[in-house]
Amino acid sequence: MTDPRVPTAAWLRADQTDLVRRVIADAGFELIAAGGDGGHELAAHAGARTASDLRALVASTDASLVLLGDPGPFADGARRDDFKTLLAAAQAGITIASLEPIPPLSLHLTDPAWRSASDVARERVVFTPLVRRGAAFRRAQDLLESFGPIDTVAIQTLGRGAEGSLGARLTGACDLLIRLLGMPLAVHAIHTPGPDDPPAPETLRGFRGHLAATFRFAEGQSASLFASDRAATWSRSLTLIGPGGRIVADDETVEWYDAAGLHVDSMTARHRETDDLAASVIADDLRAVMGNAPRTAPVDLGSVLATAHAGLLSARTGHAEQPEKIRRMGKG
């Protein structure tokens, strides 16, 4: 177990100030520095230092955890020095947790700085909150040994922009899908931008609005995804259907009914102590990342980013796209 008072630095937008304040308080961590448009207010509230440059913050922090509410262009693949800075900090034992995917595209995995880093360093750069690290979602996966094969999966992952972009919601869902069924053969996605959102961009980090997607897998299974970063409230849910019946999980509960409709198993993963479920979920995830919960397998970044990128590309082209083609490009 680690000291619960994890020294934490944060970088955030102004609209993320309340969220990050609640996350750090819920996690029981200690804010020692904050920067970005929302950092000044957060630092003043906590009596912490103010940081004016994200790269300098990552390079010189004495925090154990750096929480990136919005990395902006940092480590987006445009500057190789960003990956060097990020991975040097991770190699020194600092965990970098981001509400947005780092890297934001599978093609960035060919960057020499990323490729040459140790596995330990790369695994300290984490996406948060990861769906499958949640207690109820872990329990749903544990039940599969008894449940048996999966025929179809439905995932819903909704939130507000301050809690992560549509690209972030898509990335987390793809990670869970790959753990359940492997990498899909094809993804067909439809993007509906909000009134002020741009069309589907070239990178996951700028992806905003609503997404409906279907996935096809090699052994005939199917999956569907409904995601949004304009959903007013936080909600993540998973439905699994197969010969063993139906398993339904969300951030608070999991239920299993067999094919005859009889109740087989259930668990309450959390008793909500706050109306801000998103902050509570992110805080739980950060505690898990910092060692206060069972470890989960590392993210298969090549497969996850290729699948998410295929969804992004499908939203742009209007056609089904193949993640494997994108993964091959990412291998260089």
Side-chain angles (χ1 to χ4, degrees):
M1 301 286 285
T2 60
D3 180 354
R5 300 294 295 178
V6 174
T8 302
W11 189 270
L12 58 148
R13 299 191 309 268
D15 66 319
Q16 296 175 312
T17 303
D18 287 342
L19 172 72
V20 174
R21 180 188 296 122
R22 290 170 181 165
V23 166
I24 293 173
D26 196 318
F29 294 170
E30 178 186 6
L31 184 74
I32 63 171
D37 291 343
H40 295 278
E41 180 181 345
L42 187 65
H45 181 268
R49 298 191 302 274
T50 299
S52 59
D53 182 84
L54 176 53
R55 292 174 184 86
L57 174 65
V58 172
S60 62
T61 187
D62 51 359
S64 299
L65 169 69
V66 176
L67 174 60
L68 303 180
D70 180 11
F74 179 67
D76 65 358
R79 288 175 46 130
R80 185 185 174 196
D81 286 349
D82 285 354
F83 285 142
K84 288 183 176 180
T85 299
L86 192 75
L87 294 164
Q91 191 69 55
I94 298 165
T95 298
I96 315 293
S98 176
L99 296 184
E100 299 295 334
I102 294 177
L105 287 180
S106 59
L107 298 179
H108 300 151
L109 300 179
T110 62
D111 186 283
W114 189 268
R115 276 186 162 177
S116 63
S118 70
D119 289 343
V120 170
R122 286 193 295 262
E123 288 172 14
R124 285 201 184 106
V125 181
V126 298
F127 171 75
T128 188
L130 197 65
V131 181
R132 62 182 168 89
R133 272 197 295 261
F137 298 107
R138 290 201 313 269
R139 177 61 177 162
Q141 293 168 83
D142 291 342
L143 291 174
L144 292 178
E145 185 174 343
S146 301
F147 181 81
I150 300 168
D151 289 340
T152 189
V153 175
I155 296 176
Q156 178 176 281
T157 175
L158 311 174
R160 298 173 295 180
E163 298 152 358
S165 67
L166 179 60
R169 303 282 71 81
L170 173 61
T171 300
C174 289
D175 170 75
L176 179 58
L177 272 179
I178 287 167
R179 287 292 164 182
L180 294 170
L181 296 174
M183 194 165 77
L185 293 177
V187 182
H188 194 178
I190 299 173
H191 175 228
T192 304
D196 300 320
D197 296 327
E202 296 183 0
T203 177
L204 291 165
R205 245 186 241 173
F207 201 18
R208 301 193 178 278
H210 322 288
L211 187 79
T214 55
F215 302 77
R216 180 166 55 88
F217 294 84
E219 297 185 8
Q221 308 101 320
S222 64
S224 63
L225 169 66
F226 174 43
S228 177
D229 68 346
R230 297 288 185 266
T233 59
W234 179 269
S235 175
R236 301 189 302 182
S237 65
L238 166 70
T239 300
L240 308 173
I241 298 175
R246 176 169 62 99
I247 293 175
V248 180
D250 59 25
D251 277 306
E252 300 178 286
T253 61
V254 58
E255 303 278 354
W256 174 14
Y257 294 88
D258 69 14
L262 299 177
H263 188 260
V264 179
D265 199 312
S266 65
M267 182 185 80
T268 299
R270 64 165 58 238
H271 296 279
R272 192 184 301 197
E273 298 176 357
T274 173
D275 290 335
D276 194 341
L277 181 58
S280 183
V281 165
I282 296 167
D284 282 353
D285 194 66
L286 291 175
R287 280 194 295 266
V289 165
M290 299 308 291
N292 289 341
R295 285 184 59 82
T296 55
V299 174
D300 179 355
L301 271 177
S303 297
V304 170
L305 291 176
T307 302
H309 192 183
L312 175 62
L313 185 60
S314 175
R316 289 168 59 87
T317 65
H319 304 291
E321 300 292 345
Q322 299 177 34
E324 180 57 35
K325 285 186 177 180
I326 296 174
R327 184 167 67 172
R328 286 199 299 269
M329 294 172 61
K331 289 181 177 180

